[in-house]
Amino acid sequence: MKRKSSIVTELRNEFSKYRDKKYMIDAGQFEKGIGKGKSYVLKASIVKKISADSYRKIKNRPKQEIFELCEDLLKEGYNNVAFDWAYRCKKHYEIRDFYLFEYWLKKYVEGWGSCDDFCTHALGYFLFQFPGFVSTIKLWAKSRNRWLRRASAVVLIYSIRRKQMIASVFEIADTLLLDKDDLVQKGYGWMLKEAGNHFPKEVFHYVMKHRKEMPRTSLRYSIEKFSPEIRKEAMKKD
């Protein structure tokens, strides 16, 4: 069985094959603070292909060993691959895995792209499987770490799409309601928008109750899929 370092080296070499700009997109779309045209990342479709092809070589290893490989990838900056491999292990999640996932979130997530990727897949699935951890998720909403605050909302989306966690949606929204960080505002606005797909009356009531104090960014995101009439009413500046 190959040593961990050789697998990371193979992955690094595979990525190097796509360094031509035609395979890349502007990183400014995904990372706060990166100016337009200043940095580039590989297209998501290429990353997914590399990740899937590489995972086939290690998929029969024990979950703990795969997670150790994920840690190596995170240290190298291959967040999307690491989080994809972690998600592919989802049928083998255990309660203790939460503490590793939370550690990864705190240590390695530095942009909204990797935050959302991790939270809507591996971490989101974990919370759906072990909903008791929502009490810890609610604490993230009070963190000084912007990515933990965004994660507290976005991690619920996996469950929301399966018509779960609606009470927690509004508790998280209450905590984040006046947050001044635009990426956190967009995160909980997205959470409310997703909730509105399955609980439109409840979300409409919440938005109308809080629309005067809710940041306009959050408000626009949360009502995006409502009818033009409802959106106009919610956006009124009384």
Side-chain angles (χ1 to χ4, degrees), residues 159-207:
S159 296
I160 292 167
R161 289 173 175 170
R162 290 153 184 82
K163 301 181 181 181
Q164 302 295 319
M165 298 278 187
I166 187 59
S168 296
V169 165
F170 297 126
E171 289 184 52
I172 295 292
D174 282 345
T175 303
L176 299 177
L177 190 66
L178 303 179
D179 200 293
K180 298 185 183 302
D181 190 309
D182 65 324
L183 290 176
V184 177
Q185 294 170 6
K186 290 175 181 177
Y188 89 77
W190 180 22
M191 173 188 68
L192 288 170
K193 178 174 67 175
E194 292 288 344
N197 290 332
H198 301 292
F199 306 94
K201 291 182 180 179
E202 291 88 342
V203 173
F204 173 72
H205 175 75
Y206 183 88
V207 169

Side-chain angles (χ1 to χ4, degrees), residues 24-108:
M24 310 185 93
I25 55 177
D26 192 343
Q29 300 178 56
F30 307 102
E31 305 295 333
K32 186 75 171 177
I34 296 179
K36 186 176 180 181
K38 296 290 182 65
S39 182
Y40 293 86
V41 293
L42 282 180
K43 293 179 180 178
S45 58
I46 295 175
V47 175
K48 288 179 180 178
K49 181 181 184 307
I50 294 174
S51 182
D53 290 346
S54 300
Y55 185 77
R56 293 190 190 100
K57 300 174 183 178
I58 53 98
K59 66 179 182 180
N60 293 323
R61 297 191 181 194
K63 181 196 68 177
Q64 191 57 42
E65 189 172 332
I66 293 175
F67 280 179
E68 289 174 5
L69 286 169
C70 290
E71 180 85 23
D72 289 343
L73 293 176
L74 289 166
K75 290 176 181 177
E76 293 277 335
Y78 296 111
N79 289 29
N80 290 348
V81 177
F83 294 152
D84 178 50
W85 287 9
Y87 182 56
R88 290 173 185 271
C89 296
K90 61 184 179 293
K91 292 184 179 179
H92 304 289
Y93 286 171
E94 306 169 80
I95 286 177
R96 64 178 181 172
D97 294 331
F98 176 81
Y99 304 102
L100 177 64
F101 287 173
E102 184 179 39
Y103 169 75
W104 286 353
L105 181 64
K106 291 178 178 179
K107 184 171 180 64
Y108 297 111

